[in-house]
Amino acid sequence: MTHIIADISVSLDGFVTGPDPGPENGLGTGGEPLHTWAFSDDPDDRRILREATARSGAVVLGRHLFDVVDGPGGWDDTTGYGAGEVGKPAFVVVTGSRPDSVRLTGLDWTFVTTGLADAVATARERAEAASAAAGRDLYVVLMGGGALIGSALDAGLVDSLTLHLAPVVLGTGTPLFPGRAPRSLVQRSVTPTSTATHLTYDVL
């Protein structure tokens, strides 16, 4: 069965954005250092980003995050999924209603209005088809936002969790685990770099 990976950057105090995030301020006020690692020249950062992008058969994101990446200041021809890697897997958006229009028409978007579990199931189907076409195993990646990843963990929909721990304290913002402990995690790997510590956990 296709592996489901939750993958997100987080501050030392557990926030995935600074305060007041929005379509034109996706990482919130002061949140930019969370993604410094994704644009760094550190060879381990580049390898981690490249490998994660290459293994992505389908990607799940929430509507708020979609509004950021599809907004005027979002992804473009040089910076898309995987930062500088600009990967183009299938994208599945969990949303209450379809957007009136999509700016990034060159990407494969599916909008699921029946909940997170259905979105993950749709992404699994897309990843399995991509795996068959590529002749290798590709995964479903949950890229965020934080509420989506927290809900997926609570619902038992995640096989592994990768955190890119940025050396910054935000003080406030969007918490990854608001008032709850994650499901049982077993650490699999730790890779420190000059800009972040990359941690991967198996979810029991």
Side-chain angles (χ1 to χ4, degrees):
M1 184 166 291
T2 303
H3 200 72
I4 311 293
I5 302 170
D7 188 303
I8 196 165
S9 298
V10 62
S11 70
L12 291 174
D13 50 348
F15 295 100
V16 296
T17 77
D20 303 317
E24 297 181 2
N25 189 30
L27 289 172
T29 303
E32 292 80 5
L34 291 170
H35 285 181
T36 297
W37 74 271
F39 298 94
S40 84
D41 293 326
D42 185 292
D44 281 325
D45 285 331
R46 301 310 308 167
R47 175 184 56 79
I48 288 168
L49 187 66
R50 183 174 59 253
E51 290 175 354
T53 303
R55 74 187 177 202
S56 301
V59 175
V60 180
L61 62 158
R63 177 59 185 270
H64 292 306
L65 184 52
F66 167 80
D67 288 342
V68 171
V69 302
D70 193 57
W75 292 347
D76 57 27
D77 291 339
T78 59
T79 301
Y81 178 67
E85 297 296 321
V86 194
K88 292 187 177 182
F91 294 94
V92 179
V93 181
V94 187
T95 180
S97 60
R98 294 177 57 88
D100 294 332
S101 62
V102 175
R103 179 179 65 87
L104 296 169
T105 56
L107 298 179
D108 180 355
W109 298 103
T110 299
F111 298 92
V112 175
T113 59
T114 52
L116 176 58
D118 286 346
V120 171
T122 297
R124 189 190 300 276
E125 292 173 359
R126 299 301 303 274
E128 288 171 352
S131 296
R136 59 191 176 92
D137 289 336
L138 298 174
Y139 305 149
V140 171
V141 177
L142 310 184
M143 68 174 283
L148 181 145
I149 287 179
S151 295
L153 285 165
D154 286 346
L157 297 173
V158 179
D159 296 313
S160 64
L161 171 66
T162 295
L163 299 177
H164 310 285
L165 186 63
V168 59
V169 175
L170 295 177
T172 186
T174 304
L176 180 57
F177 304 119
R180 61 174 180 258
R183 298 172 70 91
S184 298
L185 305 177
V186 176
Q187 190 175 87
R188 188 197 313 162
S189 66
V190 180
T191 305
T193 71
S194 60
T195 60
T197 301
H198 306 279
L199 306 113
T200 297
Y201 300 87
D202 290 322
V203 181
L204 301 183

